[in-house]
Amino acid sequence: MSDETVCILCAARGPFRRRFTKDDYGIAECLECGLVQLQPTPTPETLRALYETDSYFGGEGSGYSEYESQEQEYLATFREDLRRIAEFVPSGKVLEVGCGYGYFLQCALQAGYDAYGIDLSPTAVKWASERLPNRVFCGLLEEVPEIQEQQYDVIFGSHLIEHLTEPGAFLEQAGRLLRPGGLLVLVTPNIGSLLSRASGRRWVSYKIPEHVSYYDPRTIAALLDRAGFSVRAVDSAYQYYALPFVATRMRELLDPVSRLIPPIERLRGLRTRRIRVTSGSMRVIAVR
């Protein structure tokens, strides 16, 4: 961890207003630009070591403990992202950064895109590569020659930018890899969302320490503007989940009041039902 907190967006060294403390980290707001981030800031080395563990995908207590079992829900979610992308770029070469098990890539290939992915998790890359040979690579953007040698019409990052301690460096890399007029699409938690404000410190997107920063439409636009990108649209991002999963999360959020609500999601016919819900995230579409 860094001894001194520096704003991830504007590089100010304070002042910061600490909103609260969670899991030994402060959730602090930069009074210069408004970005909310962890205090102190985890180092890139700490975070990379976390992603490279075998337990990050599928491990008990990890943010993606049910990632494989939720494949159909992720596929439905990413098809919705692709329908929005197709309104701007209906075909071409796509790169997903932070591709996990390759669910988005699978949807993109089915939609006719020439899709590739990269991730820091060897476990995820191995799993995705078995399904999508020669399309998924392990490492950072600057470490993979096969990625650097190409140019892309779309770069997609779902729940990526909030993990980065140096998002400006990532956006610079992305800008070099995009063709002129290419599209950058980011899905990230929106700390200004109604769900975030209603949930308080119980908000599902407070995943600590991997989520190091929390954007809203204004701060994500400022970040992109500094990197030479122009925001074309900011949408509410929805996700598909099985009803019992959503009910469990809602009970955790509303506890102890939720104990009075009967578990109707256990009824036959509802146990396998998928629903479209908001997690308080936004989809940001930008060009450079």
Side-chain angles (χ1 to χ4, degrees):
M1 299 179 188
S2 302
D3 293 330
E4 181 183 16
T5 304
V6 177
C7 179
I8 288 172
L9 172 56
C10 73
R13 298 182 180 273
F16 292 88
R17 179 176 67 86
R18 182 167 291 203
R19 294 185 172 187
F20 57 87
T21 299
K22 184 178 177 71
D23 298 337
D24 299 324
Y25 284 86
I27 308 295
E29 179 183 351
C30 174
L31 297 183
E32 289 290 326
C33 69
L35 181 72
V36 178
Q37 66 182 75
L38 293 188
Q39 188 181 40
T41 307
T43 66
E45 293 76 18
T46 297
L47 295 171
R48 184 163 187 168
L50 173 66
Y51 306 138
E52 290 178 344
T53 60
D54 292 339
S55 61
Y56 187 70
F57 281 91
E60 186 66 30
S62 77
Y64 299 97
S65 59
E66 300 180 66
Y67 198 72
E68 185 173 352
S69 66
Q70 292 175 342
E71 177 177 355
Q72 294 306 312
E73 288 82 2
Y74 278 106
L75 291 175
T77 299
F78 288 136
R79 289 188 192 107
E80 188 165 302
D81 289 319
L82 279 161
R83 284 192 290 270
R84 186 66 167 129
I85 289 169
E87 295 176 17
F88 295 85
V89 180
S91 63
K93 185 172 288 188
V94 175
L95 173 65
E96 182 186 13
V97 183
C99 65
Y101 282 9
Y103 298 147
F104 173 82
L105 302 178
Q106 183 178 330
C107 294
L109 289 165
Q110 290 171 349
Y113 292 93
D114 184 18
Y116 299 86
I118 185 171
D119 201 285
L120 278 176
S121 167
T123 301
V125 169
K126 181 177 183 295
W127 200 96
S129 295
E130 290 173 355
R131 290 189 170 192
L132 306 169
N134 304 314
R135 289 188 176 273
V136 183
F137 304 91
C138 191
L140 298 170
L141 281 179
E142 61 270 22
E143 296 173 348
V144 181
E146 294 89 341
I147 295 294
Q148 291 289 326
E149 292 166 0
Q150 305 294 323
Q151 282 211 306
Y152 302 89
D153 299 285
V154 179
I155 293 180
F156 178 74
S158 178
H159 297 280
L160 164 75
I161 200 75
E162 67 272 15
H163 291 250
L164 304 181
T165 58
E166 298 180 2
F170 162 73
L171 292 174
E172 184 178 337
Q173 284 275 350
R176 286 199 292 265
L177 294 174
L178 277 172
R179 290 196 176 102
L183 208 65
L184 175 68
V185 182
L186 300 173
V187 178
T188 188
N190 176 6
I191 198 167
S193 66
L194 177 60
L195 183 61
S196 168
R197 288 181 276 122
S199 302
R201 66 183 64 202
R202 293 187 178 187
W203 187 33
V204 65
S205 291
Y206 285 129
K207 294 181 181 179
I208 297 171
E210 60 261 47
H211 286 188
V212 300
S213 55
Y214 300 89
Y215 298 90
D216 60 22
R218 184 181 63 83
T219 52
I220 195 71
L223 175 69
L224 289 163
D225 180 68
R226 287 168 182 263
F229 286 89
S230 175
V231 174
R232 290 292 180 85
V234 178
D235 310 325
S236 293
Y238 292 85
Q239 293 174 262
Y240 288 84
Y241 288 112
L243 180 57
F245 178 85
V246 175
T248 298
R249 289 298 177 90
M250 289 301 296
R251 290 179 193 284
E252 292 172 355
L253 178 62
L254 298 175
D255 186 67
V257 177
S258 61
R259 299 175 192 178
L260 304 176
I261 304 172
I264 60 172
E265 71 278 0
R266 297 179 186 174
L267 296 175
R268 188 184 301 272
L270 295 181
R271 285 176 292 186
T272 58
R273 183 174 179 180
R274 297 187 190 97
I275 60 174
R276 180 178 181 267
V277 299
T278 178
S279 62
S281 292
M282 56 184 170
R283 183 195 303 116
V284 184
I285 299 173
V287 297
R288 190 177 190 184

